[in-house]
mmCIF file of all heavy atoms in Angstrom:
data_model
loop_
_atom_site.group_PDB
_atom_site.id
_atom_site.type_symbol
_atom_site.label_atom_id
_atom_site.label_comp_id
_atom_site.label_asym_id
_atom_site.label_seq_id
_atom_site.Cartn_x
_atom_site.Cartn_y
_atom_site.Cartn_z
ATOM 1 N N THR A 262 240.635 -24.687 54.139
ATOM 2 C CA THR A 262 240.156 -25.312 55.376
ATOM 3 C C THR A 262 241.241 -26.174 55.995
ATOM 4 O O THR A 262 241.450 -26.156 57.212
ATOM 5 C CB THR A 262 238.904 -26.163 55.098
ATOM 6 O OG1 THR A 262 237.944 -25.378 54.379
ATOM 7 C CG2 THR A 262 238.275 -26.645 56.392
ATOM 8 N N TRP A 263 241.924 -26.943 55.171
ATOM 9 C CA TRP A 263 243.005 -27.793 55.684
ATOM 10 C C TRP A 263 244.122 -26.959 56.315
ATOM 11 O O TRP A 263 244.748 -27.386 57.276
ATOM 12 C CB TRP A 263 243.576 -28.640 54.557
ATOM 13 C CG TRP A 263 242.721 -29.805 54.180
ATOM 14 C CD1 TRP A 263 241.739 -30.391 54.931
ATOM 15 C CD2 TRP A 263 242.778 -30.533 52.946
ATOM 16 N NE1 TRP A 263 241.173 -31.436 54.234
ATOM 17 C CE2 TRP A 263 241.791 -31.558 53.024
ATOM 18 C CE3 TRP A 263 243.539 -30.431 51.792
ATOM 19 C CZ2 TRP A 263 241.579 -32.474 51.993
ATOM 20 C CZ3 TRP A 263 243.331 -31.333 50.764
ATOM 21 C CH2 TRP A 263 242.358 -32.344 50.850
ATOM 22 N N LEU A 264 244.364 -25.781 55.778
ATOM 23 C CA LEU A 264 245.456 -24.941 56.266
ATOM 24 C C LEU A 264 245.009 -23.970 57.353
ATOM 25 O O LEU A 264 245.843 -23.315 57.983
ATOM 26 C CB LEU A 264 246.065 -24.155 55.101
ATOM 27 C CG LEU A 264 246.767 -24.994 54.014
ATOM 28 C CD1 LEU A 264 247.129 -24.117 52.815
ATOM 29 C CD2 LEU A 264 248.009 -25.685 54.569
ATOM 30 N N CYS A 265 243.697 -23.853 57.561
ATOM 31 C CA CYS A 265 243.145 -22.878 58.516
ATOM 32 C C CYS A 265 243.599 -23.192 59.937
ATOM 33 O O CYS A 265 243.681 -24.354 60.351
ATOM 34 C CB CYS A 265 241.620 -22.901 58.428
ATOM 35 S SG CYS A 265 240.792 -21.750 59.540
ATOM 36 N N LEU A 266 243.872 -22.150 60.713
ATOM 37 C CA LEU A 266 244.304 -22.320 62.098
ATOM 38 C C LEU A 266 243.134 -22.617 63.035
ATOM 39 O O LEU A 266 243.314 -23.230 64.095
ATOM 40 C CB LEU A 266 245.034 -21.065 62.570
ATOM 41 C CG LEU A 266 246.272 -20.668 61.761
ATOM 42 C CD1 LEU A 266 246.863 -19.373 62.288
ATOM 43 C CD2 LEU A 266 247.305 -21.778 61.764
ATOM 44 N N THR A 267 241.941 -22.174 62.657
ATOM 45 C CA THR A 267 240.745 -22.432 63.477
ATOM 46 C C THR A 267 239.600 -22.884 62.566
ATOM 47 O O THR A 267 238.602 -22.180 62.407
ATOM 48 C CB THR A 267 240.324 -21.175 64.265
ATOM 49 O OG1 THR A 267 240.138 -20.085 63.338
ATOM 50 C CG2 THR A 267 241.375 -20.794 65.289
ATOM 51 N N PRO A 268 239.746 -24.038 61.908
ATOM 52 C CA PRO A 268 238.725 -24.480 60.954
ATOM 53 C C PRO A 268 237.407 -24.804 61.615
ATOM 54 O O PRO A 268 237.357 -25.196 62.792
ATOM 55 C CB PRO A 268 239.356 -25.739 60.337
ATOM 56 C CG PRO A 268 240.278 -26.249 61.399
ATOM 57 C CD PRO A 268 240.816 -25.027 62.077
ATOM 58 N N ARG A 269 236.320 -24.618 60.858
ATOM 59 C CA ARG A 269 234.979 -24.973 61.322
ATOM 60 C C ARG A 269 234.591 -26.310 60.694
ATOM 61 O O ARG A 269 235.247 -26.798 59.788
ATOM 62 C CB ARG A 269 233.965 -23.900 60.910
ATOM 63 C CG ARG A 269 234.430 -22.473 61.177
ATOM 64 C CD ARG A 269 234.500 -22.155 62.660
ATOM 65 N NE ARG A 269 234.985 -20.804 62.888
ATOM 66 C CZ ARG A 269 234.231 -19.721 62.892
ATOM 67 N NH1 ARG A 269 232.946 -19.801 62.633
ATOM 68 N NH2 ARG A 269 234.775 -18.543 63.148
ATOM 69 N N ALA A 270 233.504 -26.868 61.136
ATOM 70 C CA ALA A 270 233.025 -28.127 60.571
ATOM 71 C C ALA A 270 232.589 -27.965 59.122
ATOM 72 O O ALA A 270 232.566 -28.928 58.357
ATOM 73 C CB ALA A 270 231.870 -28.668 61.404
ATOM 74 N N THR A 271 232.242 -26.737 58.751
ATOM 75 C CA THR A 271 231.719 -26.487 57.406
ATOM 76 C C THR A 271 232.705 -25.756 56.493
ATOM 77 O O THR A 271 232.359 -25.417 55.372
ATOM 78 C CB THR A 271 230.424 -25.658 57.495
ATOM 79 O OG1 THR A 271 230.684 -24.476 58.283
ATOM 80 C CG2 THR A 271 229.314 -26.457 58.148
ATOM 81 N N GLY A 272 233.921 -25.478 56.982
ATOM 82 C CA GLY A 272 234.882 -24.786 56.129
ATOM 83 C C GLY A 272 235.853 -23.937 56.924
ATOM 84 O O GLY A 272 235.903 -24.009 58.165
ATOM 85 N N PRO A 273 236.613 -23.095 56.253
ATOM 86 C CA PRO A 273 237.612 -22.269 56.942
ATOM 87 C C PRO A 273 236.963 -21.135 57.720
ATOM 88 O O PRO A 273 235.845 -20.714 57.427
ATOM 89 C CB PRO A 273 238.453 -21.728 55.784
ATOM 90 C CG PRO A 273 237.513 -21.684 54.627
ATOM 91 C CD PRO A 273 236.615 -22.872 54.795
ATOM 92 N N CYS A 274 237.707 -20.619 58.714
ATOM 93 C CA CYS A 274 237.152 -19.542 59.533
ATOM 94 C C CYS A 274 237.103 -18.221 58.780
ATOM 95 O O CYS A 274 236.265 -17.370 59.036
ATOM 96 C CB CYS A 274 237.968 -19.381 60.811
ATOM 97 S SG CYS A 274 239.606 -18.608 60.588
ATOM 98 N N GLY A 275 238.019 -18.009 57.862
ATOM 99 C CA GLY A 275 238.035 -16.791 57.070
ATOM 100 C C GLY A 275 238.745 -15.626 57.719
ATOM 101 O O GLY A 275 238.932 -14.583 57.084
ATOM 102 N N GLY A 276 239.159 -15.753 58.979
ATOM 103 C CA GLY A 276 239.738 -14.606 59.658
ATOM 104 C C GLY A 276 241.140 -14.795 60.190
ATOM 105 O O GLY A 276 241.795 -13.825 60.560
ATOM 106 N N CYS A 277 241.653 -16.031 60.250
ATOM 107 C CA CYS A 277 242.996 -16.248 60.780
ATOM 108 C C CYS A 277 244.034 -15.821 59.745
ATOM 109 O O CYS A 277 243.717 -15.562 58.581
ATOM 110 C CB CYS A 277 243.191 -17.712 61.172
ATOM 111 S SG CYS A 277 243.244 -18.857 59.784
ATOM 112 N N SER A 278 245.279 -15.756 60.169
ATOM 113 C CA SER A 278 246.342 -15.317 59.261
ATOM 114 C C SER A 278 246.477 -16.259 58.077
ATOM 115 O O SER A 278 246.733 -15.836 56.944
ATOM 116 C CB SER A 278 247.667 -15.225 60.017
ATOM 117 O OG SER A 278 247.992 -16.464 60.625
ATOM 118 N N SER A 279 246.279 -17.557 58.320
ATOM 119 C CA SER A 279 246.375 -18.520 57.228
ATOM 120 C C SER A 279 245.306 -18.267 56.165
ATOM 121 O O SER A 279 245.575 -18.290 54.967
ATOM 122 C CB SER A 279 246.242 -19.940 57.781
ATOM 123 O OG SER A 279 246.360 -20.891 56.747
ATOM 124 N N CYS A 280 244.086 -17.997 56.614
ATOM 125 C CA CYS A 280 243.002 -17.702 55.664
ATOM 126 C C CYS A 280 243.295 -16.429 54.876
ATOM 127 O O CYS A 280 243.012 -16.355 53.674
ATOM 128 C CB CYS A 280 241.673 -17.577 56.403
ATOM 129 S SG CYS A 280 240.960 -19.160 56.919
ATOM 130 N N HIS A 281 243.856 -15.435 55.533
ATOM 131 C CA HIS A 281 244.192 -14.192 54.845
ATOM 132 C C HIS A 281 245.277 -14.425 53.799
ATOM 133 O O HIS A 281 245.242 -13.842 52.704
ATOM 134 C CB HIS A 281 244.628 -13.126 55.852
ATOM 135 C CG HIS A 281 243.497 -12.509 56.609
ATOM 136 N ND1 HIS A 281 242.475 -11.819 56.005
ATOM 137 C CD2 HIS A 281 243.212 -12.492 57.936
ATOM 138 C CE1 HIS A 281 241.613 -11.394 56.912
ATOM 139 N NE2 HIS A 281 242.043 -11.797 58.100
ATOM 140 N N TRP A 282 246.241 -15.284 54.125
ATOM 141 C CA TRP A 282 247.288 -15.591 53.149
ATOM 142 C C TRP A 282 246.697 -16.287 51.919
ATOM 143 O O TRP A 282 247.065 -15.997 50.782
ATOM 144 C CB TRP A 282 248.360 -16.472 53.782
ATOM 145 C CG TRP A 282 249.242 -15.750 54.749
ATOM 146 C CD1 TRP A 282 249.475 -14.411 54.815
ATOM 147 C CD2 TRP A 282 250.005 -16.341 55.811
ATOM 148 N NE1 TRP A 282 250.329 -14.121 55.847
ATOM 149 C CE2 TRP A 282 250.674 -15.281 56.474
ATOM 150 C CE3 TRP A 282 250.186 -17.645 56.273
ATOM 151 C CZ2 TRP A 282 251.522 -15.498 57.560
ATOM 152 C CZ3 TRP A 282 251.026 -17.866 57.354
ATOM 153 C CH2 TRP A 282 251.683 -16.810 57.989
ATOM 154 N N VAL A 283 245.767 -17.221 52.160
ATOM 155 C CA VAL A 283 245.136 -17.901 51.023
ATOM 156 C C VAL A 283 244.346 -16.899 50.188
ATOM 157 O O VAL A 283 244.420 -16.893 48.954
ATOM 158 C CB VAL A 283 244.214 -19.041 51.518
ATOM 159 C CG1 VAL A 283 243.420 -19.620 50.336
ATOM 160 C CG2 VAL A 283 245.035 -20.148 52.174
ATOM 161 N N SER A 284 243.601 -16.017 50.854
ATOM 162 C CA SER A 284 242.784 -15.031 50.134
ATOM 163 C C SER A 284 243.635 -14.093 49.296
ATOM 164 O O SER A 284 243.205 -13.633 48.232
ATOM 165 C CB SER A 284 241.932 -14.224 51.120
ATOM 166 O OG SER A 284 241.044 -15.060 51.821
#
Side-chain angles (χ1 to χ4, degrees):
T262 309
W263 283 340
L264 295 171
C265 180
L266 301 177
T267 55
R269 314 291 178 85
T271 53
C274 73
C277 69
S278 57
S279 181
C280 284
H281 284 299
W282 287 338
V283 173
S284 298

